[in-house]
Amino acid sequence: MTVAELVDGPLWTVALTVFVAGVAWRLLVLIATGWKRDLSHPRSGSLGGAIRGVVGRFLPSQGMAGRLRLHLVAGYLFHLGLFALLFFAAPHVDFYRDRLFGFDWTPLPHWAFILAAEAAFLGLLMLWLNRVLNPVTRLISESGDHAASVLTFLVMLTGCLALARSHETLRLLHFFVVELFMIYFPFSRLMHSFTFLLSRAAQGAHYGRRGVRV
Amino acid sequence: MPVDMNLFRGFVEQIRQLPAMAQPTDMPDPDRVRAAKAVFADKLDARLASHLDACVHCGVCAEACHYYVQSGDPRYTPIHKLEPLMRYWRREKGPFAWLQRLITRDISEQDLEDWQPLVYDSCTECGRCSFACPQGVDIASMVGVMRQALAKAGLIPAGLRAVEQEQGSRGTVFGVGGEQLMEAVEALRARGYEVPVDKEQAEVLVLSSTLDILLFTDALESTVKVMNHLGVDWSIHTCAFEGANFGMLSGYEEVQKAASERIIREAIGCGARVVIIPECGHAYPAMRWDAANEHGEPLPFDVMAISEFLGREVMAGRLKLKSGQRRPVTYHDPCKIGRHGGIFDEPRAVLEALGLEVREMPVHHEMNYCCGGGAGLFLIDSAKKNRDLGFDLKREQVEATGASSLVTACGSCRLNFLAGADRVHWDRGIESLVELVGEAIDGPGGAS
């Protein structure tokens, strides 16, 4: 078996399996931990609170925007850029059609791809520099946080290198790094891509039943 | 009426003597760790686990914490205060515990000791960080769990422990029990107030607090005045009048439950439909949100903070207040009543009814800054520097409004504001909502 066959075949299967099973297991364990029933009289509904919690947390709380300029700018640049690249980059749309879903959708034009990539790179670098230089994030960050940043950066970098689709080696390199990323994903804080929904909803519901808007 | 500052200083001096009164809580190191872990195991449910799992170590929570904002000390980063809990979750209960055990250090007794000042001296569980977190991580709730774990491990700071031990063993707080309540009641009766005590049947059970008996006596008087003025069928009970719950503040659950059960028993016994909590921040969540869960079933009565009760009466048109001079004031939402309790509109409705001009601070309502001395910090000697930091930030907030007075509905907040004001010779008034209402009532209920 050649390296190309390995990366395109069994390694992809392993990565996809670990990713899907790992994410499912992690969410399952979280939910199976069980919810303590709250016996106090609610002042308001938890469902509305949960929805408000999920949606409302996209914006900074009152009076916080000024203190969080870097987090906001870098956070949105990175996440919006990455989302656009992941789901709307033309090679990715082709990949989803051919290897996963069997259908496609309209990809980003090339100029928008470049814009999204620049935004994502800029955002990620700003966030990582903040992690390394800010005494707060330096204190609370763990090796796993840095590993996630580095892996994400490598995925994006190799993706850009492979963009022209002219060199098979570069495409394979990108695919290989993506597979590593997928295997690492469920064991890391990259899982926040899923768990943020649970956490925000839980907080919104908790305070919602107390009549407090989060 | 302004607080007698000599009385206040004497009270503060008494608090400074508390550590000497605390009983030691010796236990072998492994037992401390085991006790803390047992609390973690019991408290970690899907809600808290989802919070621990979703944190990305972004550091936003630090920017919301009054202690970090004022000091710039990264150790005050709220999520950092949960590190032992986070480690426990990963190693012992998390989805990949088997793997995490290989790479994550276990909790040691030294960790618990190291985290004591972070959990007690530098966090008032105000919850501002929880509301700033983009992931929705409810850090304040989990600091509560950390306190419960440290309490079980015998690591409550001495000053707070002394009062928790007193309430747990004798049911009194600062030596105040039924006898001292009756002295306060008799003093009010001597001034012409009718004060129903230990009635067998009453629709409303009114609680008080040691602070209102020893220091903020006008608050108790005003509460009596309001209840009588409204013609409420009420009573105060000598064996269950204390709203303050030092079990909750210290994290010692048995004491918290016992204090709440005493009130529940009396309320059920006299057929109360409502229990009114005095101006005591943490007493509100202790009864309003926690008590039913400790009791094991929903409570057969409503629990209302006095500020909530007053606001509802004003909003319903049942409580008419004399409008005084229209002067600018600002309202400080006690964290446990506002951010943790949803009571924002009611106190403001009262202030409007009093004819006062309410000016909001730069951040207010859900994002209001804490007074800096809540959650028992006032009883912890080593937390003085942080209390001062909190007050200094709050002072800037108040001064930005141009208001001549700050009004609040929590005795603990008042304590910290008074201490800060005394320290820096602050010229702004520090007033109690219920006392303002008491002064603005005409007709029956008032002293002759």
Side-chain angles (χ1 to χ4, degrees), chain B residues 93-112:
Chain B
K93 282 188 94 175
F96 300 108
W98 53 272
L99 182 64
Q100 289 292 341
R101 270 195 282 275
L102 303 175
I103 53 175
T104 307
R105 195 167 53 83
D106 199 0
I107 305 168
S108 67
E109 202 272 339
Q110 190 58 49
D111 289 328
L112 299 178

Side-chain angles (χ1 to χ4, degrees), chain B residues 303-317:
Chain B
V303 176
M304 269 193 236
I306 185 75
S307 56
E308 180 183 18
F309 174 76
L310 295 172
R312 286 194 188 184
E313 294 300 306
V314 163
M315 288 154 120

Side-chain angles (χ1 to χ4, degrees), chain B residues 217-263:
Chain B
T217 49
D218 290 349
L220 178 59
E221 179 179 344
S222 295
T223 305
V224 170
K225 211 167 165 181
V226 170
M227 293 299 152
N228 290 346
H229 177 77
L230 289 169
V232 173
D233 172 22
W234 71 284
S235 178
I236 191 164
H237 283 208
T238 46
C239 61
F241 70 89
E242 182 59 75
N245 191 319
F246 287 88
M248 182 192 198
L249 291 179
S250 63
Y252 207 84
E253 284 183 282
E254 283 80 353
V255 173
Q256 177 178 355
K257 185 177 176 183
S260 296
E261 282 296 336
R262 207 173 295 137
I263 295 165

